[in-house]
Amino acid sequence: MDIIKNINNKTVCYVDKEKKSVEIVKKGLKTIIQFNSDDTYDVIHSKLDKK
């Protein structure tokens, strides 16, 4: 998984080339965007558990 950072060197998202997905984590929420072979995409939202 590759880490994408902005110009302030803060992590913006993670890219998984093999799974063709982008993962965004912000304020305890995770969003995964998965790109399908038929030019569509799926969006999965989840809440992260506090430790």
Side-chain angles (χ1 to χ4, degrees):
M1 200 175 281
D2 297 330
I3 299 172
I4 307 300
K5 296 188 177 228
N6 64 16
I7 83 171
N8 292 326
N9 205 33
K10 299 283 185 176
T11 300
V12 176
C13 65
Y14 304 91
V15 175
D16 189 331
K17 295 176 190 175
E18 291 183 18
K19 292 183 180 179
K20 296 182 181 179
S21 67
V22 176
E23 180 178 301
I24 304 164
V25 178
K26 188 171 183 178
K27 296 184 180 182
L29 303 173
K30 178 164 63 171
T31 301
I32 300 173
I33 305 165
Q34 293 179 319
F35 296 92
N36 304 317
S37 59
D38 63 353
D39 292 334
T40 63
Y41 59 89
D42 298 316
V43 179
I44 303 163
H45 300 284
S46 61
K47 198 173 210 181
L48 300 175
D49 293 330
K50 289 186 178 182
K51 293 182 180 179

